[in-house]
Amino acid sequence: MPLFPLDLIAKRAPTLWRYEEALPAIAHTKRVTFQEGFTPLLPYRVGKLEVMLKLDYLFPTGSYKDRGATVLMSHANQEGIKEVVQDSSGNAGCAIAGYAARAGIECTIFVPANTSPAKIVQINMYGAKIRLIEGDRDATASACKSHVSTHNVYYASHVHNALFFEGTKTLAYEICEQLGWQAPDTVVLPAGNGTLLLGAYQGFQDLAQAGIITKIPKLIGIQAQNCAPLYALWVGKELPTSWLPTAAEGIAIPTPYLGDKMIAAMRQTNGACIAVSEDDIKKQLFQLARQGYYVEPTAACVIAGLEEYARNLTKSEKIVSVLTGTGLKATEKIQLLL
Ligand SMILES: *Cc1c(COP(=O)(O)O)cnc(C)c1O
């Protein structure tokens, strides 16, 4: 069986599990799924340029993190795992907690104490235990790792567990299928921990190796200037000793564990890293909402980066980006910007 049996795929339900040959082998009965994925790909105008946006804020728990959660938790379910822990800036915690609830697996989530209240409430509602950690995202990760090393629990990390990336790679599959099994020239993605960027990179590589697409798109990683360690690395700037808060909480990762891999992915695809200001994030958040796209500031940050990338283009390109998370989770933060 080929990795991408296109005729078979076309006949299957519009979910990310339609690419099952390219996903980890999990029995149908063991899948932990809400029939998620195959999100709409819609045209969007940025300045004079028409781009396409994947509406990944429409996933069951409100962000693209469900791509990784459905595959990772299906694996955990198949292995008979009873309890998982995870650390997150919010959305990955919501996704793992939601899918743990679906599977009937016990779950504990570590989050920074300043995470949006809606995400904390959502994690609570799924029945997960929640541990609020003072300090930045790095402090939360350390607290979770020391918990994992002293307890006999499965680490359902979206950063350290390769199965999560097995799910996020479906973004690339869906984009190419929705474009008639062709790759776009450029894909603009968030660059925090890189779970989407590195997953998508793997997905495009899979398709190229299978001979389905002929080139791998340029990958453009977007950061917020207030917390931009990758951008600093990209341009060869010295890292500051501390970072400022940003509205883009989902990508405020001071020391990204997979930073080198993300830089390599952007380099190898002839891509780039862009950092955007808080003003530009706010401006794009409003522009998106005024066209009916109510997303969280982290998602708007990516589109602000897309706008900057598009502004400096000299020739036309087919560009795809993604709206990563719903605005409904960030009401308090958005209200402050209003
Ligand atoms: C997690 C997340 C991101 C960034 O993903 P990384 O894996 O950290 O690069 C972007 N947007 C939203 C809404 C997220 O939840």
Side-chain angles (χ1 to χ4, degrees):
M1 179 66 90
L3 215 50
F4 298 97
L6 302 191
D7 292 345
L8 268 180
I9 290 172
K11 290 189 196 113
R12 292 183 184 144
T15 85
L16 60 77
W17 287 99
R18 68 205 260 112
Y19 311 106
E20 61 180 36
E21 289 81 4
L23 296 177
I26 289 160
H28 279 251
T29 54
K30 296 292 179 186
R31 279 184 197 166
V32 183
T33 177
F34 297 95
Q35 305 212 352
E36 58 288 287
F38 216 73
T39 53
L41 180 68
L42 293 190
Y44 184 76
R45 193 160 277 283
V46 174
K48 279 179 288 187
L49 196 76
E50 181 142 301
V51 301
M52 304 289 280
L53 298 184
K54 279 287 273 178
L55 308 194
D56 269 22
Y57 67 106
L58 300 178
F59 271 95
T61 80
S63 84
Y64 81 83
K65 298 285 193 322
D66 292 4
R67 291 188 186 278
T70 184
V71 172
L72 192 159
M73 293 306 291
S74 293
H75 168 82
N77 191 41
Q78 179 159 275
E79 296 296 305
I81 285 158
K82 298 276 176 282
E83 189 182 351
V84 300
V85 299
Q86 206 252 11
D87 55 292
S88 150
S89 62
N91 282 333
C94 292
I96 293 295
Y99 283 78
R102 180 110 173 94
I105 291 174
E106 257 190 73
C107 177
T108 303
I109 306 288
F110 288 66
V111 293
N114 65 355
T115 300
S116 285
K119 295 178 186 171
I120 296 174
V121 169
Q122 187 181 358
I123 292 167
N124 264 317
M125 281 303 290
Y126 289 134
K129 287 193 220 85
I130 195 143
R131 299 279 285 270
L132 298 178
I133 306 299
E134 294 299 331
D136 63 15
R137 179 68 183 81
D138 289 348
T140 300
S142 308
C144 186
K145 273 179 210 138
S146 84
H147 179 89
V148 171
S149 66
T150 52
H151 295 71
N152 182 25
V153 287
Y154 184 75
Y155 191 22
S157 169
H158 60 298
V159 183
H160 299 278
N161 192 320
L163 285 156
F164 198 88
F165 297 83
E166 291 292 310
T168 55
K169 69 186 186 181
T170 57
L171 176 79
Y173 302 166
E174 290 179 19
I175 288 172
C176 291
E177 183 177 0
Q178 288 168 319
L179 295 176
W181 290 113
Q182 287 193 337
D185 298 310
T186 306
V187 181
V188 181
L189 296 164
N193 272 313
T195 62
L196 196 55
L197 191 134
L198 292 173
Y201 185 37
Q202 182 62 53
F204 288 120
Q205 285 176 310
D206 293 347
L207 292 166
Q209 262 159 30
I212 308 277
I213 59 173
T214 52
K215 56 154 201 243
I216 292 182
K218 290 194 269 187
L219 297 183
I220 314 293
I222 309 299
Q223 298 218 288
Q225 281 170 9
N226 280 4
C227 185
L230 285 176
Y231 178 74
L233 218 61
W234 181 260
V235 295
K237 257 194 349 196
E238 227 176 279
L239 290 178
T241 48
S242 67
W243 296 102
L244 296 168
T246 169
E249 65 178 19
I251 47 173
I253 314 292
T255 37
Y257 175 71
L258 301 168
D260 291 344
K261 280 195 169 166
M262 294 164 73
I263 295 280
M266 294 185 279
R267 268 225 176 95
Q268 283 159 11
T269 60
N270 201 22
C273 188
I274 293 172
V276 300
S277 69
E278 295 300 299
D279 278 352
D280 285 347
I281 295 171
K282 181 176 168 181
K283 194 180 114 206
Q284 197 50 246
L285 185 72
F286 278 77
Q287 277 185 18
L288 282 161
R290 297 300 146 97
Q291 291 169 78
Y293 298 102
Y294 188 56
V295 295
E296 66 173 283
T298 308
C301 179
V302 178
I303 308 307
L306 166 60
E307 187 177 35
E308 171 150 347
Y309 177 75
R311 209 182 309 131
N312 300 318
L313 270 185
T314 48
K315 61 178 175 42
S316 87
E317 293 182 356
K318 195 176 201 58
I319 304 177
V320 174
S321 188
V322 49
L323 295 176
T324 49
T326 175
L328 294 170
K329 296 207 208 194
T331 307
E332 296 80 5
K333 280 181 183 165
I334 293 173
Q335 197 169 29
L336 289 176
L337 300 174
L338 198 61

